[in-house]
Amino acid sequence: MSEKEERPPSNVANGTSISSSSRTTYIASVVAVYWFVSISMVYLNKALMSSKEVSIDAPLFVTWFQCVVTTAICVACGRVGEMSRRLPNQGSDSGKPNFYTQFPKAEYRMGTARRVLPLSIVFVGMITFNNLCLKWVEVSFYNVARSLTIVFNVFFTAVVLGGSSSFRTLLCLVVVICGFLIGSGGEVNFSAKGTAA
């Protein structure tokens, strides 16, 4: 078999032909929805953490609740996806796959749970510290501080995984760190506690 025969054309997804402009529109819409939800959640969490009217002084509870709601959404989408896959034409008259068919059925396996427990603890810790950071700093500074994620990714890749980074990557990190320092220098309500979180 030649290389051309082994690979499906790039415009074929899930057995249906998708035009390039349709694919681009789909990707752009996914990115736009992600941005909207992400920015909305930042402002919602800021209100929940520090607003005098609606503040909940329980960042761990807020984190727990958000994780429970996310789990419920994933389970519900998995169940709808399972039902959609059983229907003829995957639940769509146009022959395109149903949106929910991309979600696998949620299953709990003890062995998998044990293996991902450290990652889950790190994830919950990250969400908790994000919420604490939002409690003590302004949203503008929070977004500047989040840029340091890239720096820590490279740092932990080197320390934990023994990976190396190119000179260009390190040069970009210097730019990010300088941007962070400039951003924190201009912060009106600077909080060392919030920056550490």
Side-chain angles (χ1 to χ4, degrees):
M1 222 185 242
S2 73
E3 193 174 313
K4 262 190 165 179
E5 291 175 322
E6 290 175 12
R7 290 190 202 154
S10 61
N11 65 341
V12 174
N14 296 329
T16 61
S17 182
I18 299 174
S19 71
S20 178
S21 65
S22 171
R23 182 173 165 79
T24 303
T25 303
Y26 176 75
I27 291 170
S29 66
V30 168
V31 170
V33 168
Y34 170 76
W35 281 347
F36 176 77
V37 171
S38 178
I39 292 169
S40 298
M41 287 303 298
V42 167
Y43 282 100
L44 175 67
N45 284 341
K46 178 65 177 171
L48 287 175
M49 293 294 138
S50 61
S51 170
K52 291 178 182 172
E53 295 83 27
V54 294
S55 179
I56 299 173
D57 195 22
L60 287 176
F61 173 76
V62 171
T63 302
W64 173 83
F65 184 76
Q66 289 173 342
C67 289
V68 167
V69 169
T70 301
T71 301
I73 290 170
C74 289
V75 168
C77 288
R79 288 185 180 168
V80 172
E82 188 72 19
M83 289 186 298
S84 296
R85 283 187 287 278
R86 291 182 189 155
L87 297 174
N89 293 330
Q90 297 178 333
S92 175
D93 296 334
S94 65
K96 289 183 181 179
N98 185 309
F99 170 76
Y100 293 102
T101 59
Q102 67 184 321
F103 294 98
K105 181 180 177 188
E107 297 175 347
Y108 188 82
R109 295 188 187 111
M110 189 57 79
T112 304
R114 281 193 196 112
R115 284 195 310 272
V116 299
L117 181 63
L119 180 62
S120 298
I121 291 170
V122 168
F123 177 75
V124 170
M126 179 190 74
I127 300 296
T128 303
F129 284 115
N130 278 345
N131 288 341
L132 287 172
C133 181
L134 273 172
K135 180 176 183 170
W136 294 314
V137 301
E138 300 300 320
V139 172
S140 58
F141 183 70
Y142 170 78
N143 285 322
V144 170
R146 274 187 10 178
S147 67
L148 290 180
T149 302
I150 300 165
V151 176
F152 285 105
N153 282 342
V154 172
F155 174 75
F156 286 122
T157 297
V159 171
V160 176
L161 302 176
S164 62
S165 299
S166 69
F167 177 74
R168 286 180 168 180
T169 301
L170 296 176
L171 193 60
C172 289
L173 294 181
V174 169
V175 172
V176 169
I177 291 170
C178 288
F180 171 76
L181 294 174
I182 291 168
S184 56
E187 180 61 26
V188 176
N189 297 325
F190 181 77
S191 165
K193 189 167 50 170
T195 303

